[in-house]
Amino acid sequence: MTLLETIRENAKKAGKRIVLPEGEEERTLKAADVILGEGIAQLVLIGNPDKIAQEADKFGLKNISKATIVDTKSCDKKQAYAELMAQIRAAKGMTVEKALKQLDSPYYLGTLMIKAGDADGMVAGAICSTADTIRPALQYIKTAPGVSTVSGAFVVVVPKKEYGQEGVFLFADCAVTIAPTAQQLADIAVISAKTAKALAGIDPKVAMLSFSTKGSAQSDEVDKVVEATKLAQAAAPELDIDGELQADAAMVQKVADLKAPGSHVAGKANVLVFPSLEAGNIGYKLVQRLAGADAVGPILQGMAAPVNDLSRGCYVEDIINMVAITALQAAAK
């Protein structure tokens, strides 16, 4: 069984309720049909019920009737959600009247369903920007207790099983924080280890990546990674975290033996924490294209409840996988 197959099977056991705010969109509906048919998750589709029924009929989808369908114009809990919004953001000038208008957006409506406990997570982004997906979550769901940094991770599966944990890695941050501070890098390291364990069953060995290994180069950027490593180790002493490490020292045992002898992580790393968003984003794309790796994400980390963003170029399979991942994140909470 592949990793993604395992994730789907585990999601079935979780029994979580996931919101798809783009409920009228073709790929979303086709993914929902598979999800409902296989029992991967319970679903809430936001959209016009008549339009959804017409689209489902057009595409020959037989399972959409198993979903709960909510229309932004006729949601029976809209008033209660608006009152909750006004309460949460009163200091920002939010009123019930303003909130009711904001709830015409399916992304805000889906977010408030989660906040109110009517759903466990949300997946969106097939037809909207990342900001449209994440902004409502940051405003109303907010970050998890003790977490101040939101980041985006990818589960990366490479063909060569000798690397990572039988070819499986988690890369972060590849999607959110452009130039993380040392403290932010430390936060990303700790939460990425937890994500890797919850989603991929990885026994996390976290490498704090740099262009230097154990003092082989000197610069402010290297110092930042060194400091981040110390902060992460202090915050989670139970985890295997080491740095600063070059990528080859992190992944290849022969190189690790030369450059970082005695390290519990070097040569065995399966969670790679990149020093900047630029490096992380470039890194996962290179591995995906040149090594033929599967890269699933971005998986948003650090929220009090899971909200995940899709690429507007996503495929049906991407949506199915992200719903399964979101369900497991919800279960881990």
Side-chain angles (χ1 to χ4, degrees), residues 210-225:
S210 175
F211 60 85
S212 169
T213 297
K214 299 297 183 180
S216 65
Q218 295 183 346
S219 79
D220 290 343
E221 290 304 308
V222 173
D223 292 342
K224 181 178 75 170
V225 177

Side-chain angles (χ1 to χ4, degrees), residues 59 63 89 106 118 171 176 197 210 225 248 264 268 271 292 298:
F59 300 126
N63 298 306
R89 290 180 62 80
D118 296 327
F171 287 16
V176 180
K197 188 171 184 178
S210 175
V225 177
D248 57 352
H264 294 294
K268 309 174 190 69
V271 177

Side-chain angles (χ1 to χ4, degrees), residues 73-120:
K73 293 181 171 57
S74 58
C75 174
D76 58 5
K77 292 191 174 183
K78 197 170 183 180
Q79 181 69 29
Y81 293 155
E83 291 172 3
L84 179 57
M85 292 170 73
Q87 177 185 336
I88 293 170
R89 290 180 62 80
K92 299 291 186 180
M94 180 58 67
T95 64
V96 172
E97 292 74 20
K98 290 179 182 177
L100 284 168
K101 292 180 180 178
Q102 212 163 45
L103 285 168
D104 287 336
S105 160
Y107 308 104
Y108 275 96
L109 182 59
T111 299
L112 266 294
M113 292 182 73
I114 298 168
K115 185 65 178 178
D118 296 327
D120 300 301

Side-chain angles (χ1 to χ4, degrees), residues 124-203:
I127 55 173
C128 77
S129 69
T130 296
D132 288 334
T133 299
I134 295 177
R135 186 183 299 111
L138 291 174
Q139 291 175 345
Y140 293 102
I141 295 175
K142 302 184 183 296
T143 56
V147 175
S148 58
T149 304
V150 176
S151 57
F154 279 79
V155 174
V156 178
V157 184
V158 302
K160 292 189 174 183
K161 304 299 182 184
E162 64 267 32
Y163 298 124
Q165 184 163 308
E166 296 186 358
V168 179
F169 290 89
L170 189 127
F171 287 16
D173 178 6
C174 305
V176 180
T177 305
I178 295 174
T181 63
Q183 183 61 63
Q184 287 175 319
L185 277 178
D187 292 344
I188 291 166
V190 173
I191 201 162
S192 294
K194 294 176 180 178
T195 298
K197 188 171 184 178
L199 296 186
I202 286 176
D203 176 19

